[in-house]
């Protein structure tokens, strides 16, 4: 498909041919859902922990004798039903990580790109070159492009001037082809891809 390439002032400078295999498919919602849930699960640290009755300090002495008091039998003051007792079946450190197959992840990535095209939330920028660290310059470009809320900027290679200038702006993220993920694409209101990055993108996913 033909797609407009704009400059920093949002004026069209030329056109680019986008691959239908990446930007023109019918988005698969189930694949998108599965990959987003997987991404969020893998972000979990899983460090939550509670003390069991064996880990709580104290409770070595039997509170009262087994029989004859009229009260329920108790062996420890650190059982779960006691104040200051251990937690029964509480969370323990664990890993929430699991792996999805490559075919599903590729389908989800293509679906995410195609969804941005369908929603008119894709912007192909001819260049984003900068020669100094200046957050205000990035903010001005995003405002001109109508992407001053939440935006994801896809760079062809690591550009410290752009990355460090953009990271102070709330809601704005930068990424390269090898660091892209479906969650960030869907979470951004506008997806901005530098023209030189399109060829690398199609080389990886086409």
């Amino acid at each position: 498909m033909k797609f407009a390439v704009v400059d920093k002032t949002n004026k069209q400078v030329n056109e680019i041919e986008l691959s239908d295999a990446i930007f023109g498919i019918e988005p698969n919602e189930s694949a998108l859902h599965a990959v987003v849930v997987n991404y969020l699960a893998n972000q979990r640290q899983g460090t939550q922990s509670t003390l069991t009755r064996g880990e709580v300090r104290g409770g070595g002495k039997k509170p009262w004798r087994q029989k004859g008091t009229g009260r329920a039998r108790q062996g420890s003051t650190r059982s779960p039903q006691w104040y200051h007792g251990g937690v029964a079946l509480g969370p323990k450190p664990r890993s929430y990580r699991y792996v999805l197959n490559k075919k599903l992840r590729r389908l989800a990535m293509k679906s995410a790109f195609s969804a941005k095209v369908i929603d008119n939330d894709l912007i192909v920028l001819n260049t984003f070159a900068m020669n100094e660290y200046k957050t205000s310059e990035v903010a001005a470009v995003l405002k001109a492009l109508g992407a001053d809320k939440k935006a994801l900027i896809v760079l062809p290679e690591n550009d410290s001037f752009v990355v460090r200038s953009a990271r102070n702006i709330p809601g704005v993220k930068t990424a390269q082809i090898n660091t892209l993920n479906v969650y960030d694409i869907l979470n951004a209101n506008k997806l901005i891809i530098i023209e030189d990055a399109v060829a690398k993108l199609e080389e990886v996913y086409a």
Side-chain angles (χ1 to χ4, degrees):
M1 72 175 76
K2 294 285 186 180
F3 201 86
V5 178
V6 298
D7 61 10
K8 292 182 178 180
T9 62
N10 204 21
K11 292 182 180 178
Q12 183 174 345
V13 290
N14 63 319
E15 285 188 337
I16 190 173
E17 186 75 30
L18 296 180
S19 171
D20 288 334
I22 301 176
F23 297 95
I25 70 169
E26 179 71 27
N28 189 309
E29 292 187 9
S30 62
L32 290 171
H33 178 267
V35 171
V36 168
V37 170
N38 172 251
Y39 173 82
L40 294 176
N42 292 347
Q43 299 304 302
R44 297 183 67 174
Q45 293 186 353
T47 54
Q48 73 277 36
S49 182
T50 53
L51 299 181
T52 66
R53 60 182 294 171
E55 295 167 329
V56 179
R57 184 177 179 180
K61 182 177 182 295
K62 188 174 175 66
W64 49 79
R65 65 179 189 271
Q66 181 80 347
K67 305 172 80 66
T69 66
R71 289 182 288 184
R73 53 196 176 191
Q74 301 290 337
S76 169
T77 57
R78 296 300 179 258
S79 299
Q81 74 270 22
W82 283 76
Y83 181 65
H84 287 311
V87 176
L89 307 177
K92 282 293 183 181
R94 53 163 288 197
S95 173
Y96 291 88
R97 181 170 295 276
Y98 64 97
V99 179
L100 296 177
N101 66 69
K102 186 176 180 180
K103 186 175 181 181
L104 179 63
R105 287 186 279 117
R106 290 175 67 91
L107 174 60
M109 187 68 77
K110 295 176 183 179
S111 296
F113 287 127
S114 298
K116 288 299 178 186
V117 174
I118 293 172
D119 296 337
N120 293 320
D121 289 333
L122 175 67
I123 299 171
V124 178
L125 190 64
N126 62 343
T127 181
F128 211 141
M130 296 177 63
N131 53 16
E132 61 179 335
Y133 300 112
K134 197 149 186 147
T135 299
S136 60
E137 184 177 338
V138 176
V141 172
L142 294 176
K143 187 174 183 179
L145 297 174
D148 52 344
K149 291 185 179 178
K150 286 199 295 185
L152 176 63
I153 305 171
V154 182
L155 304 170
E157 57 191 16
N158 186 36
D159 187 335
S160 63
F161 289 115
V162 177
V163 173
R164 294 180 64 180
S165 297
R167 69 185 181 185
N168 286 334
I169 306 174
V172 176
K173 296 187 70 173
T174 56
Q176 296 172 249
I177 304 302
N178 60 343
T179 62
L180 269 177
N181 64 76
V182 173
Y183 178 82
D184 285 341
I185 295 173
L186 296 179
N187 190 46
N189 290 341
K190 294 290 183 181
L191 174 63
I192 303 171
I193 304 179
I194 310 305
E195 187 175 7
D196 291 343
V198 174
K200 293 184 177 181
L201 192 67
E202 293 181 346
E203 183 179 343
V204 174
Y205 293 104

